[in-house]
Amino acid sequence: MLKMPALRGQLQVLSARDEGILGLCGAFDDATDTLERLRLSDPERHRLIILEYENICAEIEQDIIKICIGGGKGPN
């Protein structure tokens, strides 16, 4: 998680014992990759979907931060 360097260590520990965290990290990676591709391809044409992916990335990131701060309660 490039945007969360302070949480990397804790995220590695939590992901080793909770596959849900790995799923969230994978979803975050997929969403950020798609967002970057859309931004590079034709940002004006994809304006609305870019906004949606920005929201998705922010929500996933917040979920991961909450899990890290909350001690590892992963998604259900």
Side-chain angles (χ1 to χ4, degrees), residues 26-37:
F28 183 79
D29 287 342
D30 291 345
T32 56
D33 287 347
T34 299
L35 178 58
E36 188 62 24
R37 280 195 306 275

Side-chain angles (χ1 to χ4, degrees), residues 49-73:
I49 196 162
I50 287 172
L51 290 173
E52 183 65 27
Y53 268 93
E54 288 172 343
N55 288 332
I56 290 168
C57 291
E59 288 174 8
I60 295 171
E61 185 177 38
Q62 287 303 309
D63 288 345
I64 293 170
I65 291 169
K66 286 178 190 175
I67 290 167
C68 287
I69 292 171
K73 294 242 177 196

